[in-house]
């Protein structure tokens, strides 16, 4: 089979590696500025492909179409996919033009436009947040007043929580709206067009934030897991980590999976593995965001440790028509935590991660190289500089252990780190400083 992979996020380099090991023909489109560090292992995977097209803007529909059209003429492409969220629209447009298999283009376009996604849920009778699309401050304020404060204000097709704000009153809403409309200078240049589509004003959902990792193929669904989130008490849009499983009751997990299937049907997501962020509210699961790609960050690593399975291997099975591996019951808690500076600054000239060495409960450390940082480097507030994965009895124990380790890392890194668990108020108290936060209820 000929697979065209258009850009990847850092963990998804594994998809390239596994596709080649399985004997598939792989074309890989790589941008000039990659999200993934070009380490020895990454370069080895990228250089193993049958055709590498380097230096392309993978968010540019014209550039992606021209590249895939040329490759398709030489050796017909069976499936085209991307694991980089901002490239999804360009790949969907190319699939439509060339008749390539992949997630249905209309579903991708709907998923990437949160306003259209909300409208599709409403049309299907599925639970959704109250919302409105605004083009200026006045429209945004009118919508916020109608929806009711607090509200979430963000770009309708952004990424990574950039330019996303929680507003408690009209003054904050006006400032947030202006930031969305004028703040794209702080967004990478090739992303700006997708960030400049107005302002989305949404009801601020309250509850427990989870994600559902689910696959779809020709009407059949493959629920891989429901994962939990650790959010910063100081800034609830900053995610400090995730855990597998989420620690829900069997009924809550089943409700989340059933809702994820309903969402996939509502927007027509017919093939692929998707990452749905869902708020478990008093009225049941409600979509926060639909990502037409596999989970990112440290979650694929945590999933592998928790289940013994590789999510990218399951993706390859799904796309090539093979039986799909889905894990059974997942026990304990496998948690991934980001090492995130609270205030920014500069890492110590002798910064290291040695406090994580030799710990029996540490399963894996994803170090400085993966995040393009290291000793003496400047870091921004909220910027992940490393991640570590640990095994614990349950969520509370995982958070307490992470608090201890992050406290040690502050001494070796020379910067204060974000800690805590905003959802502790729902899951129960956690040891030490994890209950210190004074953040507002969850977004």
């Amino acid at each position: 089979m000929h697979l065209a992979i258009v850009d990847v996020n850092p963990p998804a380099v594994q998809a390239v590696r596994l596709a080649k090991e399985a004997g598939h023909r792989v074309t890989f489109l790589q941008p000039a500025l990659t999200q993934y560090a070009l380490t020895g292992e990454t370069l080895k995977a990228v250089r193993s492909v049958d055709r590498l097209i380097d230096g392309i803007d993978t968010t540019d529909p014209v550039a992606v179409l021209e590249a895939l059209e040329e490759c398709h003429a030489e050796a017909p492409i069976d499936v085209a996919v991307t694991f980089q969220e901002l490239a999804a629209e360009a790949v969907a447009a190319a699939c439509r033009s060339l008749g390539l298999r992949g997630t249905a283009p209309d579903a991708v376009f709907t998923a990437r436009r949160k306003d259209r996604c909300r409208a599709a849920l409403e049309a299907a009778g599925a639970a959704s947040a109250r919302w409105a699309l605004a083009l200026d401050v006045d429209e945004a304020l009118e919508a916020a007043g109608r929806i009711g404060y607090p509200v979430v204000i963000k770009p309708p097709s952004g990424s990574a929580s950039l330019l996303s704000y929680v507003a408690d009153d009209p003054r904050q809403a006006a400032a947030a709206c202006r930031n969305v409309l004028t703040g794209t200078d702080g967004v990478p240049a090739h992303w700006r067009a997708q960030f400049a589509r107005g302002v989305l004003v949404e009801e601020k959902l309250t509850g427990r934030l989870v994600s559902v990792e689910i696959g779809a193929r020709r009407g059949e669904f493959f629920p891989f897991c429901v994962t939990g989130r650790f959010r910063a008490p100081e800034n609830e849009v900053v995610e400090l980590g995730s855990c597998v499983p989420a620690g829900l009751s069997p009924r809550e997990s089943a409700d989340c999976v059933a809702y994820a299937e309903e969402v996939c049907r509502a927007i027509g997501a017919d093939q692929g593995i998707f990452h749905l962020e869902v708020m478990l509210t008093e009225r049941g699961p409600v979509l926060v965001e639909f990502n037409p790609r596999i989970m990112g960050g440290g979650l694929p690593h945590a999933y592998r440790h928790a289940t013994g399975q590789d999510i990218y291997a399951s993706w390859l099975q799904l796309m090539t028509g093979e039986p799909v591996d889905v894990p059974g019951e997942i026990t304990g808690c496998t948690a991934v935590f980001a090492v995130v500076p609270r205030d920014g600054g500069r890492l110590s000239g002798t910064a290291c991660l040695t406090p994580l060495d030799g710990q029996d409960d540490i399963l894996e450390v994803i170090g400085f190289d993966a995040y393009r940082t290291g000793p003496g480097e400047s870091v921004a507030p909220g910027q992940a500089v490393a991640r570590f994965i640990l095994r614990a009895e349950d969520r509370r124990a995982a958070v307490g252990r992470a608090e201890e380790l992050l406290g040690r890392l502050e001494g070796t890194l020379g910067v204060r780190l974000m800690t805590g668990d905003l959802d502790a108020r729902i899951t129960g108290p956690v040891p030490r400083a994890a209950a210190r936060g004074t953040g507002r209820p969850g977004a």
Side-chain angles (χ1 to χ4, degrees):
M1 178 171 285
H2 185 182
L3 301 172
I5 299 177
V6 182
D7 208 349
V8 294
N9 56 25
V13 175
Q14 175 73 347
V16 178
R17 182 181 296 111
L18 289 175
K20 280 307 301 171
E21 290 176 356
H24 298 290
R25 180 183 179 89
V26 177
T27 292
F28 182 54
L29 275 61
Q30 177 173 259
L33 180 62
T34 65
Q35 283 193 336
Y36 43 95
L38 294 174
T39 61
E41 283 300 307
T42 303
L43 286 170
K44 181 179 178 181
V46 169
R47 290 169 178 168
S48 73
V49 303
D50 298 276
R51 180 164 183 181
L52 173 64
I53 301 177
D54 199 6
I56 186 172
D57 180 356
T58 56
T59 68
D60 180 352
V62 175
V64 170
L65 174 59
E66 289 177 349
L68 292 182
E69 189 172 33
E70 180 182 338
C71 296
H72 190 53
E74 294 178 358
I77 295 170
D78 295 293
V79 173
V81 68
T82 182
F83 298 96
Q84 213 282 59
E85 192 169 342
L86 273 298
E89 293 184 33
V91 174
C95 285
R96 170 175 285 170
S97 295
L98 300 176
L100 307 179
R101 281 201 290 125
T103 304
D106 284 347
V108 174
F109 296 137
T110 300
R112 284 291 304 140
R113 287 290 300 262
K114 297 176 179 66
D115 53 321
R116 296 177 183 174
C117 192
R118 293 286 182 209
L121 294 184
E122 291 177 355
S128 183
R130 298 187 301 276
W131 65 279
L133 183 67
L135 299 179
D136 57 36
V137 173
D138 289 341
E139 287 186 8
L141 289 177
E142 190 278 330
R146 186 173 66 252
I147 291 168
Y149 290 96
V151 293
V152 178
I153 292 180
K154 57 188 176 182
S157 53
S159 180
S161 297
L162 292 173
L163 302 180
S164 296
Y165 306 92
V166 175
D168 292 322
D169 54 46
R171 180 185 59 82
Q172 293 181 3
C177 182
R178 284 191 288 269
N179 286 338
V180 172
L181 292 171
T182 64
T184 54
D185 286 349
V187 173
H190 57 298
W191 291 8
R192 291 174 189 165
Q194 293 186 53
F195 275 75
R197 291 170 172 168
V199 179
L200 186 66
V201 184
E202 287 186 330
E203 168 192 3
K204 182 176 180 290
L205 298 169
T206 300
R208 185 168 175 182
L209 182 64
V210 301
S211 67
V212 183
E213 320 304 335
I214 191 167
R217 182 175 64 191
R218 295 190 298 275
E220 183 179 5
F221 291 97
F222 305 90
F224 294 101
C225 61
V226 181
T227 62
R229 287 286 184 276
F230 306 118
R231 293 179 286 166
E234 307 93 329
N235 185 348
E236 60 200 75
V237 301
V238 177
E239 292 189 8
L240 299 181
S242 308
C243 58
V244 184
L248 304 179
S249 70
R251 175 61 182 272
E252 289 171 328
S253 292
D255 287 348
C256 288
V257 170
Y259 177 70
E261 293 182 8
E262 186 179 12
V263 172
C264 287
R265 292 190 184 97
I267 71 170
D270 61 338
Q271 182 167 347
I273 296 179
F274 312 117
H275 173 71
L276 283 70
E277 295 184 9
V278 172
M279 191 71 76
L280 195 54
T281 72
E282 290 182 351
R283 64 183 192 261
V286 180
L287 184 72
V288 174
E289 183 171 276
F290 188 107
N291 297 282
R293 57 162 175 79
I294 291 176
M295 54 192 169
L299 257 177
H301 301 269
Y303 176 86
R304 173 169 46 82
H305 287 290
T307 66
Q309 298 180 9
D310 191 307
I311 192 67
Y312 297 104
S314 296
W315 167 80
L316 194 59
Q317 293 167 341
L318 188 149
M319 300 305 288
T320 57
E322 301 173 37
V324 178
D325 292 332
V326 175
E329 182 182 1
I330 305 172
T331 59
C333 178
T334 303
V336 54
F337 290 92
V339 181
V340 178
R342 184 187 299 263
D343 306 308
R346 188 176 297 276
L347 298 180
S348 165
T350 57
C352 63
L353 301 172
T354 52
L356 303 176
D357 294 345
Q359 305 295 318
D360 291 341
D361 54 353
I362 299 293
L363 304 177
E364 184 176 352
V365 177
I366 307 170
F368 295 144
D369 285 350
Y371 299 95
R372 292 193 175 98
T373 191
E377 294 291 330
S378 295
V379 292
Q383 173 190 345
V385 300
R387 282 186 168 89
F388 60 90
I389 299 171
L390 62 82
R391 178 78 172 171
E393 181 179 354
D394 55 30
R395 180 189 180 110
R396 289 197 299 156
V399 173
R401 177 61 168 149
E403 286 278 325
E404 178 184 349
L405 293 168
L406 289 166
R408 296 183 193 176
L409 285 171
E410 284 186 337
T412 63
L413 299 181
V415 296
R416 295 178 68 208
L417 299 174
M418 286 188 175
T419 59
D421 182 9
L422 182 65
D423 285 342
R425 59 187 174 77
I426 298 174
T427 58
V430 294
R432 277 186 284 274
R436 286 193 312 240
T438 57
R440 296 185 298 270

